[in-house]
Amino acid sequence: MGTTTAMAKRNPSRFSFGVAALLAIVTFAAGGERPASAQQLERLAAPGPWPGVSELIAYDGAIWFVNSEPFENVNAADVYRYDLTTGQVRYETGLASQSLGSPSVYQGHLYWPFEDPRSNSGLGEYAVTDGKSWRWNTFTEGVALHVHTIQACGNRLLAGTGGWEGALQMSPDGGPGWREVYRLPEVQGQLSRITEIVSFQDRCYFAVTAWDQPGPRLYEWTGSAARPVEQWPASERITSLTVYGGYLYGLSDGPGGRTLWRYDGSKVDRVEFVAESLLRDLAAAPDGLYAVSSNNNDGALWRTSDGTTWTLVQRIQGERPIDVFALGDQIYVGTHAGTAGGALWGPRLAAPAPST
């Protein structure tokens, strides 16, 4: 089994958004000065044929990513790896899924959920690799049309599923055994999903997507029950749930558009961030919190070191950044570029991934 690089995309140390409402100072500069530790990002890989690159994660000395059609119902997705020592790109596997959910590294293996599988009608699918071979699995309880995320929380491996009813699954053995531990009660018979899982202050939290009915969207999982974070604003969904600097941050989609919020374990605050385009994703690095934003054609990478003063790090022209990932102080971005094909962006002379 290959050496594991343990910096999963949804790791609690991934990013931080600390900004007090109405006190944020946003610095815009068309040629914004980059922090000393940041390098100019370049197009590292564009394997095609699909227009999007997303779900970046570090494992086995490489950045792994998915090339897919993330915004359309095209049932194909390919997994690639970008070697951090040689810069070579290698095709790993193709999966019959519209896209792939958020992956994680657990006990030396890389877990990759099928966001929208096509080989069965409700078992829920995911793949596991040790860097050399792949193993295909399904859940053993419940009905799951989609598997959106698999993440470690404490000493447990949890999975968020979706379909007509969102549910939370738990594995005591890292798979293949699974037990359904919670099913969203307030949205039964409606389309709902559990799409994000993260550990915060030694507790597990998960985010819900449900378009048809109002209700809580952020929950704490106690190990035996789900407790809603009542202060979190009503919304359709929460994305990019992550932890930084003593806060849990998330992007919330509601009637007023997409907004950024943070939670310190007792209080929820709005975070003001004024970008020229829609915020897509967040990532935390040792030198600060990073964000990507994009419109239909272009996008940008942003950074804050203190949670209040934002600096434009780099513009990306002709491509839409949709995913950002931090491996130490190295920043990687996945883009959507239509017929030009999605790409992995990052520092050309990336340092080798640390081993654990």
Side-chain angles (χ1 to χ4, degrees):
M1 180 170 60
T3 302
T4 300
T5 299
M7 186 77 178
K9 177 177 171 56
R10 303 299 177 191
N11 191 290
S13 63
R14 183 175 172 237
F15 46 71
S16 142
F17 261 100
V19 185
L22 304 180
L23 295 178
I25 301 172
V26 182
T27 300
F28 290 92
E33 182 179 353
R34 295 188 304 277
S37 63
Q39 300 181 32
Q40 182 77 17
L41 303 188
E42 303 179 25
R43 228 171 183 251
L44 302 177
W50 310 110
V53 163
S54 62
E55 303 304 341
L56 280 56
I57 189 169
Y59 175 71
D60 195 32
I63 299 293
W64 297 57
F65 60 90
V66 171
N67 179 229
S68 67
E69 179 76 86
F71 304 125
E72 302 291 340
N73 289 321
V74 177
N75 299 314
D78 298 319
V79 179
Y80 291 84
R81 60 184 292 168
Y82 171 81
D83 191 284
L84 290 167
T85 302
T86 67
Q88 294 181 342
V89 180
R90 189 176 83 190
Y91 169 83
E92 276 292 321
T93 188
L95 300 171
S97 176
Q98 176 183 332
S99 188
L100 298 182
S102 298
S104 67
V105 177
Y106 182 71
Q107 295 184 347
H109 288 75
L110 176 59
Y111 287 73
W112 222 313
F114 289 44
E115 192 270 343
D116 192 6
R118 284 294 176 262
S119 64
N120 73 74
S121 60
L123 295 178
E125 302 176 28
Y126 65 98
V128 183
T129 182
D130 60 1
K132 298 177 183 178
S133 61
W134 289 82
R135 184 177 72 249
W136 174 87
N137 293 279
T138 62
F139 289 114
T140 51
E141 281 190 15
V143 176
L145 302 181
H146 306 257
V147 185
H148 300 284
T149 185
I150 294 179
Q151 300 294 327
C153 197
N155 59 357
R156 295 164 289 183
L157 191 63
L158 300 177
T161 69
W164 292 117
E165 298 175 29
L168 189 69
Q169 296 260 358
M170 182 177 68
S171 174
D173 57 7
W178 290 87
R179 180 168 60 92
E180 185 179 291
V181 294
Y182 181 72
R183 184 163 287 268
L184 293 168
E186 73 281 0
V187 289
Q188 288 184 0
Q190 303 291 330
L191 183 65
S192 62
R193 303 172 177 179
I194 292 177
T195 54
E196 306 273 343
I197 299 171
V198 70
S199 178
F200 174 56
Q201 297 180 349
D202 297 323
R203 291 175 285 180
C204 297
Y205 288 82
F206 64 86
V208 169
T209 294
W211 290 280
D212 298 322
Q213 295 182 9
R217 294 294 176 262
L218 179 64
Y219 291 80
E220 177 194 346
W221 173 247
T222 66
S224 59
R227 181 169 62 195
V229 177
E230 299 288 358
Q231 294 185 55
W232 199 275
S235 60
E236 296 175 343
R237 64 173 180 167
I238 299 173
T239 60
S240 298
L241 194 65
T242 195
V243 176
Y244 177 82
Y247 290 92
L248 177 61
Y249 293 85
L251 298 174
S252 189
D253 287 0
R258 181 166 296 176
T259 51
L260 179 61
W261 298 80
R262 69 176 185 176
Y263 174 59
D264 66 0
S266 60
K267 182 183 178 183
V268 176
D269 291 311
R270 170 80 179 268
V271 176
E272 296 297 324
F273 185 95
V274 182
E276 308 108 316
S277 52
L278 187 67
L279 278 174
R280 298 285 185 178
D281 199 18
L282 317 169
D287 66 341
L289 175 68
Y290 288 80
V292 287
S293 64
S294 63
N295 53 32
N296 290 332
N297 302 304
D298 307 292
L301 175 68
W302 305 87
R303 172 186 173 269
T304 178
S305 59
D306 61 6
T308 60
T309 304
W310 289 89
T311 301
L312 174 62
V313 178
Q314 182 175 339
R315 295 193 185 279
I316 296 178
Q317 303 290 340
E319 300 183 36
R320 300 158 56 190
I322 58 175
D323 199 355
V324 60
F325 174 78
L327 176 60
D329 61 2
Q330 305 289 340
I331 304 300
Y332 296 86
V333 171
T335 67
H336 188 284
T339 56
L344 173 69
W345 289 65
R348 177 60 61 180
L349 300 176
S355 299
T356 59

